[in-house]
Amino acid sequence: AQRVTQPEKLLSVFKGAPVELKCNYSYSGSPELFWYVQYSRQRLQLLLRHISRESIKGFTADLNKGETSFHLKKPFAQEEDSAMYYCALSAGSSNTGKLIFGQGTTLQVKP
Amino acid sequence: DSGVTQTPKHLITATGQRVTLRCSPRSGDLSVYWYQQSLDQGLQFLIQYYNGEERAKGNILERFSAQQFPDLHSELNLSSLELGDSALYFCASSVARGPTTGELFFGEGSRLTVL
């Protein structure tokens, strides 16, 4: 079965501390993985996708097929990073829309 | 606002009733996705339409149905409502057929409360 697991409901760190939001997936095929973010009073929006291998707002995520993980990392957290983060898996061919989300992790960055 | 528009924003109804949630995608987007977010649950994928045709189906109940019209807006119909159907229903749109080739843009959601 296709599944995305985010083990932490809440992650609280101090400003300037490193951040790692965990994401593990279960999928027998070749996965496409994404991180979506929802800031307070804003809509859910794409943060980054693994195929782009990009760094957005200082965040990076590396797909580790051996560990079936796609953890989101940032070396120095900022207060404006406080938000709800969702890891998502695209299962199936690129022509289907089955994007499976984890339950989300709330990141709280304290001053 | 040229983003994804969902109506109504809030809806309160009784068990056994039927409601229709409406979604207007971003201008130019051909795909529409529906998600359900219940209390303490993540986003559960319900269904996707692309240019009027159903493309992917998730764990959508038989009491639920959806369609995408020629003008590309979509409606999600929920019938014989139960207390457990209370949730936030999100619509998202994308220009592409699937999420790997196109970013999903989300609406603000329709909050359904079944009493």
Side-chain angles (χ1 to χ4, degrees):
Chain A
Q2 301 131 5
R3 185 180 295 120
V4 175
T5 303
Q6 293 179 250
E8 303 140 327
K9 288 191 81 169
L10 172 66
L11 182 63
S12 187
V13 301
F14 284 101
K15 177 182 172 182
V19 170
E20 182 178 53
L21 294 132
K22 291 183 167 48
C23 171
N24 289 90
Y25 66 90
S26 173
Y27 180 54
S28 57
S30 183
E32 300 284 350
L33 286 147
F34 308 80
W35 278 97
Y36 277 77
V37 60
Q38 187 169 26
Y39 301 102
S40 179
R41 297 189 188 87
Q42 293 188 28
R43 303 177 185 210
L44 190 61
Q45 58 188 283
L46 178 66
L47 179 61
L48 55 79
R49 64 187 84 191
H50 94 269
I51 56 174
S52 301
R53 300 188 65 80
E54 57 201 345
S55 173
I56 302 292
K57 299 184 179 183
F59 284 98
T60 59
D62 291 316
L63 177 60
N64 186 322
K65 291 186 178 181
E67 296 184 359
T68 59
S69 69
F70 187 58
H71 303 327
L72 184 67
K73 301 177 184 179
K74 185 169 183 176
F76 308 103
Q78 302 299 314
E79 288 182 68
E80 55 265 31
D81 296 329
S82 295
M84 185 75 159
Y85 291 80
Y86 292 93
C87 182
L89 163 72
S90 176
S93 73
S94 61
N95 286 337
T96 68
K98 200 168 183 180
L99 189 63
I100 299 165
F101 285 82
Q103 291 191 308
T105 298
T106 299
L107 173 63
Q108 183 183 71
V109 181
K110 296 178 284 189
Chain B
D1 182 2
S2 57
V4 178
T5 304
Q6 290 187 246
T7 56
K9 284 188 167 41
H10 302 276
L11 187 57
I12 301 174
T13 188
T15 54
Q17 295 298 304
R18 172 190 166 95
V19 298
T20 297
L21 308 180
R22 182 188 169 101
C23 170
S24 293
R26 290 187 328 151
S27 177
D29 284 359
L30 299 177
S31 278
V32 169
Y33 306 75
W34 285 99
Y35 285 85
Q36 179 193 55
Q37 186 177 41
S38 305
L39 197 62
D40 291 335
Q41 295 285 322
L43 289 148
Q44 302 293 317
F45 172 69
L46 295 177
I47 198 163
Q48 181 219 359
Y49 283 84
Y50 176 79
N51 204 20
E53 292 187 8
E54 183 184 304
R55 293 291 301 180
K57 210 166 186 175
N59 295 325
I60 186 168
L61 299 172
E62 285 191 12
R63 300 183 287 107
F64 295 2
S65 65
Q67 56 182 328
Q68 187 179 27
F69 294 87
D71 67 352
L72 301 176
H73 90 273
S74 178
E75 293 181 356
L76 178 66
N77 299 297
L78 315 174
S79 61
S80 303
L81 286 168
E82 302 175 359
L83 295 177
D85 297 328
S86 295
L88 194 53
Y89 290 85
F90 283 105
C91 171
S93 74
S94 166
V95 66
R97 285 184 175 151
T100 57
T101 51
E103 175 180 348
L104 267 63
F105 293 88
F106 281 80
E108 294 180 308
S110 291
R111 183 170 294 283
L112 172 67
T113 302
V114 182
L115 301 175

